[in-house]
Amino acid sequence: MTANGWLQIAVFISAVLLCARPLGVYMAAVFERRRTWLDPVLVPVERLLYRCTSVSPEEEMRWTGYAGSMLIFSAVTLLLTYLIERLQQFLPLNPQHLGAVSPFLAWNTAVSFTTNTNWQAYTPESTMSYLTQMLGLATHNFWSAAVGIALAIAFIRGIARKEMKTLGNFWVDMTRAILWVLLPICVVFALVLTSQGVIQNLKPYTVAHMVRPQTRAKTVNGKAAPTAALTQTIAQGPVASQEAIKMLGTNGGGFFNANSAHPFENPTPLTNMLEMMAMFLIPAGLTVTLGEMTGSPRHGRAVLGAMLILWLIGVTVCYWAESQPNPLFHGVNQQTTALQAGGNMEGKEVRFGIADSALFATVTTDSSCGAVNSMHDSYMPLGGIVPLTNIMLGEVVFGGVGSGLYGMLIFVIVAVFIAGLMVGRTPEYLGNKIQAYDVQMAMLYLLIFPLIILGFSAVAVLTPHLGLPGITNPGPHGLSQILYAYSSAAGNNGSAFAGLNANTPWYNLSLGFAMFIGRFLMIVPMLALAGSLAAKKKVPESSGTFPVTTPLFTVLLTSVIVIVGALTFFPALSLGPILEHLLLHAGHSF
Amino acid sequence: MSYESHHEADVHSLFDASIAARAALDAFLKLNPVKMIRNPVMFVVEVGSVLTTVLLFTRKAHTGGHFAFDLQVTLWLWFTVLFANFAEAMAEGRGKAQADSLRKAKAETMAHRMTDTGIEEVSSAMLFSGNLVKVSAGEIIPGDGEVIEGMAFVDESAITGESAPVVREAGGDMSAVTGGTRVLSDEIIIRITSNPGETFLDRMIALVEGAQRQKTPNEIALNILLAGLTIIFLLTTITLQPFAIYSGAPQSIFVLVSLLVCLIPTTIGGLLSAIGIAGMDRLVQYNVLATSGRAVEAAGDVDTLLLDKTGTITIGNRQAAEFIPAPGVSAEQLAEAAQLSSLSDETPEGRSIVVLAKERYGLRGRELSHRNAEFVPFSATTRMSGVDIDDRVIRKGSVDAIRQHLKEHGNGMPPLVREAVERVARSGGTPLVVAENGSALGVIYLKDIVKGGMRERFHQLRVMGIRTIMITGDNPLTAAAIAREAGVDDFLAEAKPQDKMDLIRREQAQGKLVAMTGDGTNDAPALAQADVGVAMSTGTQAAKEAGNMVDLDSNPTKLIEIVAIGKQLLMTRGALTTFSIANDIAKYFAIIPAMFATAFPVLSALNIMHLHSPQSAVLSAVIFNALIIIALIPLALRGVKYRPVSAAVLLQRNLLIYGLGGIIVPFIGIKLIDMAITALRIL
């Protein structure tokens, strides 16, 4: 680890924290429909949209209505994307004349983008046309992020509201999330990205002639048949516009297969820093929005504090693990010097180095983004455990846009319930008494997640024809690959332990279901809980009230997240990365 | 809080041998799965125990030659269930012991039921609501009811433990009688107000025994949390086997069941119902009977305490403290007139006037019977009392009443008297004005005496976030002064029953929980409206029916203890839940390396406790898990220590003890058990 590396990490988090407050206060104004400086431009657009879609913006919805609207919206847009993928060869903006996407892959991808996962079981530049990328996928990057923000806002309203049956209007919240929050930031962000060299065009792919022919070893019918490559196809496309929302909306679906490691997506250290910031920007801002809308800014900061602690632990472990010399390279100088990075550079871009790769890996899995600028599969076992654990904790460390906050608030409620009794009162969360129904919904939310991950993984490791063939490395690393895939899907992250060959009917289907359940089945109890909280009488605060604003609460919340997560996944992890780490130091590699 | 002293006796009787023996037997009876399923956590343990027992007898399961291990694991799993059952049985046993003493009072008696034709003798069990019974001196009152005719001294010691007899008379707030108490004098006619098996005592006995115990709202919520955690750990354990098979290290069912039982929150799961029963029990030890567990829990949540001034904050009676004469009147003159007017006034206030006059001015109480004296008793319409002696017309009464009286004589209240009246009122006293022959003589300063230590208690309550509101019939000036002296947060002056009701509704509308005490029939609506309504045992039947607790000692100050007991109940649950979950970390470090140490010796790096062998590690964790239930029974029955401090301080303290402690203790415990197992070579 180097001072320079830590400095970059410090600059990153300071910049995020600096932006969080103004953005959070602004978002509170947006969703409480107070005046903002963008109103003169956006209000007419908003009105027009409501008139066209005959949405009555003043109409409030109960949690069931909110959930129903969200599900209908998601189902319709999912179907739309599926159709676009299946029909792309008949549609315009397909200069490469790419054929229809196969049904399993189309289902997987449609679910993946609808659920804000952006798991990509395909190579985008050789599978998806420009139209599919823009109309089928990038739109979902906005929609799914807006849905996430809307849900988080609905949950915050549930906490803040007193004896009310409604949580707001889904269509209004979503529209405002796109118009006021996502679009303005994305426009600016995309322009900055293009200034740094991110491409933005609709041209056919460029064919470049190689300076020197390259010989590739290929096997044809079991015989080695070396072929010489004289040209290289360089994929093009409207990248900058998609890159901005890919990061800001914690979507993570790359325009290119190499994702943010590709120089057209992430060309410079500056874009790298900005892309990482974009992932944390809205989730950090939403903690401030939480504080503003519930009238307890200190609670917002306490929640943000827990996120910061968990982020710091993650990045420290990951950075440390990746900086360690590989124990299998005996007698090789692995010192970090001005001339060499030291540590583990496999799967990392030389442009970014260890610190920025470890930070990116931590941030992309803390948030449910899933964009990558290095290959997590190539990390050291303890480096790779960080992204995996981050996802398994439920992606509540900043988390996905919106989903991170409501996931975190579920943990807040569980923490308040477990420890709240210890102050001798029925546990209260910002004036809401936590009762049986609330605990039931919170536990349901927490249950579904390990059920998907452990359930599907258990099936996968036992089925020689379905799950096992996908594994590319045997032993504990193979288990990590499978665990990572289902965690990533259930957590709607979308990053991969790239080794797993997941473009098979089994993985496309099961991961599709994991994404689907991991998003929608968890949202339903979450909204039910929000509805229950909104209907409650609010108990006024007193010195007998359980404190949710103190550093002690931050520590408590952090512990609950770690303990619940650790207790659930420790056995599986001990046979995966932990065992791999111990075996590696005993001289075995996989 | 001053109830710490009660704990001593409590601890001594904690493991009463006969109760423990009975509980040990009950622990086995409770293994009935139909009963066990009420407790999902322990039900899972029981299912696991059955599973391992069955496997123990089918030889295939332990081909590895670990029979000693398998057997011991199975035994300890059963012990885990039995220990939890024992905890519940202990709590119930202690409740039963209390119930028995109550039941003695309920011994069936003969009743003289009044019918249209006369009086018939029936068993007390045959009395229905609405029956009239006649009870004479020496007889036992056959059921709960209300005196409708006559007056008698009643010995209520069977219920309250208080040996001094109390007066019960028809009409007013002293009319309620409880079945099982004994009439000492006179003869009364009682209207029975309850049906057989539904008497106050019957309900109390059932509740104390825990027979009709229904889970309280908070207990239900906690059960859901525990069930949820159990499902998560079930999932973790079940899916571990595929991962183990994939890794080439399949596990025996014994080890998997051990892991499961160690992970699920058995400590709190096993002690949860014991905590609830013990909470109710603790209340009974304070001579308070609650009609439901819900009420005890609500007591912990109380935000606002409504306390009657008289008898709760101040000692029941006001005392004359000073005579303030009008201009031109000497203090002696005023004292003499005041004394004369009070000689036949048997109220404590009246007596205190006589005493003060004697102490200050040497005026002896005179025998007045021979004079031509006519006493005017206090009446609600005149609100004055006094005496007419010869040609002297002496009256004393409230300011308004005397003003009216003076007006009738064409006089007004002298300004200096008016000032004195205001001064007295402002300083928290009650001014009584004395008038003779239509002109004011001066003012008697009646002082309210605030009970010792109340200020500190209200301060403690404030720290705990509980607001105290004093209810008084006094005028706002007086009320404010006493409120200030006693240190309550707020007061309701000139309170009428409706005002009290409105106040409760107002507080509840803000989301607060309100507790109050009451005894009169006019308190009944407010008692019913309050979240915690404690009726005094001396109160009317209506009040008792309306409230959700009855204080057998009729001590309104006890409301503060009731709140503390409620809080203690919730805290104990929270503390043991936290402890139980925190325990899991150490158990993982014992069991996971043990499970895979054979296949992957490198995993013994996780064996940070350096446990002797894989078998001893698993067994130690299982034994620890079972023994900790037994070890924590006293805590569950006694409740965790409660201190009146703010929630933030409480949380910090309890997190340190039960959270951090819960992480550390099992590391030490499992290591010690492992050392013992190794030393004893039982594996």
Side-chain angles (χ1 to χ4, degrees):
Chain A
M1 293 193 279
T2 62
N4 180 286
W6 279 112
L7 186 68
Q8 295 190 56
I9 292 168
V11 166
F12 159 77
I13 201 67
S14 312
V16 168
L17 293 181
L18 221 64
C19 299
R21 191 167 161 74
L23 179 64
V25 171
Y26 169 76
M27 284 194 286
V30 167
F31 293 106
E32 285 177 341
R33 302 180 80 170
R34 287 186 269 118
R35 280 195 61 80
T36 64
W37 58 280
L38 282 171
D39 284 8
V41 188
L42 295 178
V43 167
V45 181
E46 186 192 18
R47 286 209 189 111
L48 185 69
L49 283 173
Y50 296 153
R51 205 166 308 142
C52 295
T53 51
S54 61
V55 164
S56 33
E58 301 308 322
E59 192 184 306
E60 289 254 326
M61 296 171 173
R62 290 169 181 240
W63 81 263
T64 42
Y66 209 96
S69 305
M70 186 274 300
L71 289 174
I72 289 169
F73 175 76
S74 300
V76 169
T77 52
L78 188 152
L79 210 65
L80 193 71
T81 298
Y82 180 82
L83 289 176
I84 292 172
E85 287 181 77
R86 299 286 294 140
L87 301 173
Q88 68 173 359
Q89 74 271 34
F90 307 117
L91 298 171
L93 285 175
N94 186 1
Q96 296 305 118
H97 306 291
L98 297 167
V101 181
S102 78
F104 287 118
L105 184 60
W107 143 259
N108 183 289
T109 307
V111 172
S112 166
F113 278 75
T114 311
T115 57
N116 196 264
T117 312
N118 296 24
W119 170 269
Q120 292 165 297
Y122 57 92
T123 302
E125 51 268 48
S126 59
T127 317
M128 303 292 175
S129 74
Y130 288 161
L131 186 85
T132 310
Q133 292 247 38
M134 291 196 294
L135 193 63
L137 306 182
T139 46
H140 270 300
N141 285 357
F142 279 95
W143 288 334
S144 65
V147 166
I149 296 176
L151 291 169
I153 295 296
F155 199 94
I156 295 174
R157 287 201 192 105
I159 297 165
R161 285 185 172 182
K162 181 183 164 183
E163 292 176 80
M164 278 178 75
K165 292 197 167 77
T166 57
L167 295 173
N169 183 312
F170 170 74
W171 307 109
V172 172
D173 288 341
M174 218 195 60
T175 308
R176 292 184 81 88
I178 293 178
L179 289 181
W180 267 263
V181 182
L182 296 173
L183 267 178
I185 303 178
C186 279
V187 167
V188 176
F189 190 24
L191 287 174
V192 174
L193 287 175
T194 43
S195 81
Q196 292 294 306
V198 178
I199 60 168
Q200 177 76 13
N201 61 49
L202 295 171
K203 286 189 234 160
Y205 294 171
T206 309
V207 178
H209 294 276
M210 291 193 145
V211 179
R212 204 177 61 189
Q214 201 181 13
T215 315
R216 263 191 229 154
K218 258 191 175 176
T219 356
V220 180
N221 299 333
K223 288 178 193 165
T227 52
L230 298 172
T231 59
Q232 186 183 356
T233 307
I234 298 170
Q236 301 287 330
V239 180
S241 57
Q242 194 163 323
E243 191 69 14
I245 189 62
K246 166 193 144 190
M247 307 311 293
L248 187 74
T250 63
N251 292 288
F255 198 92
F256 303 116
N257 193 36
N259 210 301
S260 280
H262 195 294
F264 283 173
E265 284 201 25
N266 188 7
T268 65
L270 180 63
T271 57
N272 192 53
M273 188 60 83
L274 290 175
E275 289 186 8
M276 288 192 292
M277 273 181 66
M279 291 189 264
F280 270 7
L281 192 60
I282 293 177
L286 278 173
T287 62
V288 177
T289 311
L290 167 75
E292 290 293 310
M293 287 177 72
T294 57
S296 177
R298 290 179 60 210
H299 173 59
R301 284 197 285 277
V303 170
L304 181 63
M307 292 176 169
L308 277 174
I309 293 174
L310 289 166
W311 163 80
L312 186 62
I313 296 171
V315 76
T316 306
V317 171
C318 193
Y319 186 23
W320 169 82
E322 293 307 300
S323 305
Q324 294 303 301
N326 189 323
L328 296 185
F329 298 160
H330 302 289
V332 177
N333 178 1
Q334 297 182 62
Q335 290 298 309
T336 306
T337 66
L339 294 176
Q340 66 176 28
N344 173 34
M345 276 300 286
E346 186 199 305
K348 293 188 180 67
E349 267 285 309
V350 181
R351 280 177 296 150
F352 306 129
I354 292 174
D356 277 348
S357 299
L359 178 61
F360 202 109
T362 310
V363 169
T364 198
T365 48
D366 275 340
S367 71
S368 85
C369 185
V372 290
N373 76 349
S374 57
M375 295 302 119
H376 299 173
D377 188 48
S378 297
Y379 276 38
M380 302 296 281
L382 289 190
I385 208 174
V386 171
L388 182 53
T389 313
N390 278 341
I391 302 173
M392 284 175 164
L393 291 181
E395 285 167 343
V396 293
V397 185
F398 294 90
V401 167
S403 62
L405 186 74
Y406 64 69
M408 183 56 129
L409 292 177
I410 299 276
F411 273 111
V412 167
I413 284 169
V414 171
V416 166
F417 186 78
I418 292 176
L421 282 171
M422 283 197 293
V423 306
R425 286 171 73 93
T426 298
E428 283 157 27
Y429 172 46
L430 294 178
N432 297 286
K433 275 204 160 72
I434 307 301
Q435 288 155 322
Y437 182 80
D438 313 309
V439 177
Q440 200 175 350
M441 291 304 123
M443 286 315 285
L444 207 56
Y445 182 95
L446 290 186
L447 246 170
I448 293 169
F449 193 59
L451 181 70
I452 312 168
I453 298 175
L454 295 175
F456 276 120
S457 299
V459 174
V461 297
L462 285 187
T463 45
H465 301 294
L466 301 176
L468 288 175
I471 294 174
T472 50
N473 302 74
H477 194 84
L479 182 60
S480 300
Q481 288 181 338
I482 287 179
L483 281 173
Y484 197 103
Y486 287 106
S487 302
S488 177
N492 297 148
N493 184 282
S495 69
F497 234 37
L500 191 73
N501 174 23
N503 192 7
T504 65
W506 157 256
Y507 279 113
N508 276 333
L509 270 179
S510 64
L511 288 168
F513 275 114
M515 291 186 269
F516 197 85
I517 300 168
R519 175 87 166 180
F520 297 115
L521 217 60
M522 289 171 77
I523 285 172
V524 173
M526 181 279 290
L527 277 178
L529 176 53
S532 156
L533 292 179
K536 285 178 197 289
K537 274 186 189 171
K538 296 291 177 280
V539 184
E541 203 182 328
S542 74
S543 64
T545 310
F546 182 83
V548 291
T549 54
T550 57
L552 182 67
F553 175 73
T554 300
V555 173
L556 170 72
L557 178 59
T558 314
S559 317
V560 167
I561 295 167
V562 170
I563 291 178
V564 170
L567 291 181
T568 313
F569 295 109
F570 183 75
L573 288 175
S574 66
L575 286 176
I578 295 174
L579 180 60
E580 189 187 353
H581 167 77
L582 293 171
L583 288 173
L584 179 71
H585 282 262
H588 302 280
S589 66
F590 299 92
Chain B
M1 299 255 146
S2 68
Y3 72 102
E4 293 290 337
S5 58
H6 283 249
H7 276 170
E8 292 307 315
D10 189 1
V11 175
H12 288 308
S13 64
L14 209 56
F15 276 104
D16 185 298
S18 63
I19 295 178
R22 170 86 201 147
L25 184 67
D26 281 348
F28 283 93
L29 299 178
K30 281 173 182 286
L31 287 175
N32 179 356
V34 181
K35 284 182 187 161
M36 287 296 293
I37 205 154
R38 269 174 60 106
N39 184 341
V41 180
M42 294 321 292
F43 182 72
V44 169
V45 182
E46 188 176 32
V47 170
S49 313
V50 171
L51 181 66
T52 55
T53 310
V54 170
L55 285 176
L56 203 59
F57 292 107
T58 57
R59 293 188 57 203
K60 256 173 89 180
H62 44 85
T63 43
H66 299 308
F67 185 76
F69 169 77
D70 294 349
L71 177 70
Q72 290 186 69
V73 162
T74 307
L75 284 176
W76 280 103
L77 291 179
W78 280 114
F79 282 142
T80 311
V81 188
L82 288 171
F83 288 168
N85 287 350
F86 177 72
E88 194 182 80
M90 273 299 286
E92 285 174 357
R94 281 151 51 86
K96 277 202 184 82
Q98 303 245 2
D100 285 343
S101 66
L102 285 172
R103 199 175 275 125
K104 276 184 198 134
K106 212 198 136 227
E108 211 169 277
T109 49
M110 293 311 284
H112 306 284
R113 180 158 65 187
M114 300 172 73
T115 61
D116 298 336
T117 52
I119 289 178
E120 58 176 9
E121 286 228 343
V122 292
S123 155
S124 60
M126 300 298 294
L127 289 176
F128 288 87
S129 180
N131 286 168
L132 299 182
V133 293
K134 184 182 260 182
V135 188
S136 309
E139 289 177 352
I140 304 269
I141 295 175
D144 294 356
E146 219 155 339
V147 180
I148 56 165
E149 205 181 303
M151 185 205 92
F153 275 107
V154 178
D155 172 11
E156 294 194 337
S157 61
I159 294 189
T160 62
E162 179 63 52
S163 56
V166 290
V167 175
R168 290 286 175 257
E169 60 184 332
D173 289 348
M174 307 289 275
S175 64
V177 288
T178 312
T181 54
R182 184 183 294 273
V183 174
L184 295 179
S185 70
D186 306 292
E187 191 175 81
I188 46 176
I189 294 175
I190 297 166
R191 182 193 291 119
I192 297 294
T193 50
S194 57
N195 289 321
E198 290 171 15
T199 65
F200 185 64
L201 214 55
D202 287 319
R203 276 184 290 148
M204 294 305 156
I205 290 171
L207 272 165
V208 171
E209 285 187 328
Q212 286 177 6
R213 221 173 72 81
Q214 285 184 332
K215 288 201 178 107
T216 58
N218 178 263
E219 217 178 339
I220 293 170
L222 189 52
N223 251 317
I224 291 171
L225 178 89
L226 299 181
L229 288 174
T230 305
I231 297 173
I232 290 180
F233 291 131
L234 202 57
L235 192 69
T236 304
T237 315
I238 289 175
T239 54
L240 184 56
Q241 184 71 327
F243 301 147
I245 292 170
Y246 166 85
S247 308
Q251 295 299 308
S252 91
I253 300 296
F254 292 91
V255 173
L256 286 172
V257 173
S258 301
L259 176 67
L260 174 65
V261 170
C262 285
L263 291 184
I264 61 176
T266 48
T267 313
I268 178 68
L271 294 172
L272 188 57
S273 58
I275 295 170
I277 298 167
M280 183 76 93
D281 194 40
R282 223 170 299 134
L283 209 55
V284 175
Q285 282 165 24
Y286 280 90
N287 265 347
V288 177
L289 297 178
T291 53
S292 70
R294 184 188 285 256
V296 188
E297 220 171 76
D301 281 348
V302 161
D303 302 279
T304 307
L305 281 187
L306 303 191
L307 297 169
D308 280 323
K309 184 198 78 177
T310 309
T312 310
I313 296 170
T314 60
I315 60 172
N317 320 311
R318 285 172 291 201
Q319 292 181 345
E322 197 184 343
F323 294 112
I324 308 165
V329 180
S330 75
E332 280 89 349
Q333 254 177 299
L334 171 62
E336 193 252 1
Q339 194 190 40
L340 274 178
S341 70
S342 306
L343 279 175
S344 73
D345 182 354
E346 277 305 316
T347 63
E349 287 87 354
R351 263 180 269 140
S352 78
I353 293 171
V354 176
V355 169
L356 184 72
K358 191 169 106 184
E359 282 176 354
R360 288 274 174 88
Y361 305 103
L363 297 171
R364 303 207 131 266
R366 281 148 296 184
E367 189 54 53
L368 294 171
S369 53
H370 64 281
R371 292 214 213 166
N372 182 19
E374 193 187 329
F375 292 100
V376 182
F378 179 86
S379 84
T381 44
T382 62
R383 291 190 295 146
M384 290 189 299
S385 64
V387 64
D388 297 339
I389 302 174
D390 305 330
D391 54 348
R392 294 174 75 184
V393 178
I394 305 174
R395 291 288 182 277
K396 73 169 198 291
S398 74
V399 183
D400 293 342
I402 296 294
R403 184 183 291 124
Q404 190 63 34
H405 173 71
L406 295 179
K407 213 175 186 179
E408 282 163 15
H409 289 76
N411 288 332
M413 191 76 79
L416 278 174
V417 172
R418 219 160 34 217
E419 265 172 43
V421 161
E422 263 170 44
R423 187 166 56 81
V424 170
R426 244 196 317 277
S427 60
T430 308
L432 281 185
V433 184
V434 182
E436 184 170 337
N437 297 339
S439 61
L441 286 183
V443 179
I444 306 172
Y445 180 177
L446 287 182
K447 199 174 177 185
D448 257 315
I449 313 290
V450 174
K451 283 184 179 176
M454 291 311 284
R455 223 190 147 75
E456 292 69 36
R457 297 192 122 200
F458 293 137
H459 176 71
Q460 291 176 349
L461 288 170
R462 198 168 308 120
V463 171
M464 284 150 58
I466 296 172
R467 222 158 65 90
T468 44
I469 301 181
M470 182 182 83
I471 311 286
T472 171
D474 294 340
N475 66 56
L477 269 181
T478 312
I482 298 173
R484 211 177 313 118
E485 193 186 338
V488 293
D489 297 300
D490 205 351
F491 61 87
L492 182 67
E494 290 169 350
K496 293 180 285 296
Q498 186 56 41
D499 298 336
K500 216 166 172 176
M501 189 76 179
D502 293 342
L503 176 67
I504 295 175
R505 289 224 176 95
R506 216 158 44 235
E507 293 283 312
Q508 286 173 336
Q510 292 171 34
K512 294 181 180 172
L513 257 59
V514 183
M516 67 168 286
T517 58
D519 50 10
T521 302
N522 55 16
D523 282 334
L527 278 172
Q529 179 71 30
D531 302 282
V532 177
V534 183
M536 298 296 106
S537 179
T538 52
T540 58
Q541 197 62 35
K544 285 197 221 172
E545 293 288 337
N548 46 19
M549 288 189 199
V550 174
D551 178 14
L552 299 175
D553 299 338
S554 303
N555 170 10
T557 321
K558 215 186 268 172
L559 197 49
I560 299 172
E561 269 88 33
I562 294 174
V563 168
I565 290 173
K567 285 194 176 297
Q568 210 186 8
L569 171 73
L570 294 171
M571 277 168 54
T572 309
R573 277 189 204 144
L576 290 181
T577 306
T578 308
F579 186 83
S580 194
I581 296 172
N583 269 208
D584 281 2
I585 297 173
K587 293 172 189 166
Y588 263 137
F589 279 101
I591 298 180
I592 295 291
M595 287 174 107
F596 303 108
T598 323
F600 307 105
V602 287
L603 268 177
S604 56
L606 294 179
N607 182 9
I608 53 175
M609 284 175 272
H610 298 289
L611 302 178
H612 179 70
S613 70
Q615 277 93 24
S616 76
V618 174
L619 189 60
S620 303
V622 173
I623 293 176
F624 174 84
N625 193 53
L627 288 183
I628 196 76
I629 296 178
I630 286 285
L632 290 174
I633 289 178
L635 183 70
L637 297 187
R638 200 189 315 133
V640 304
K641 205 166 207 150
Y642 176 69
R643 284 174 190 176
V645 286
S646 74
V649 178
L650 264 181
L651 178 66
Q652 190 171 349
R653 203 183 115 84
N654 286 335
L655 267 183
L656 217 61
I657 299 175
Y658 300 99
L660 200 59
I663 294 175
I664 296 166
V665 165
F667 277 104
I668 301 166
I670 292 173
K671 177 69 187 168
L672 288 177
I673 294 170
D674 181 73
M675 285 160 71
I677 289 175
T678 314
L680 294 171
R681 297 172 184 279
I682 56 174
L683 269 176

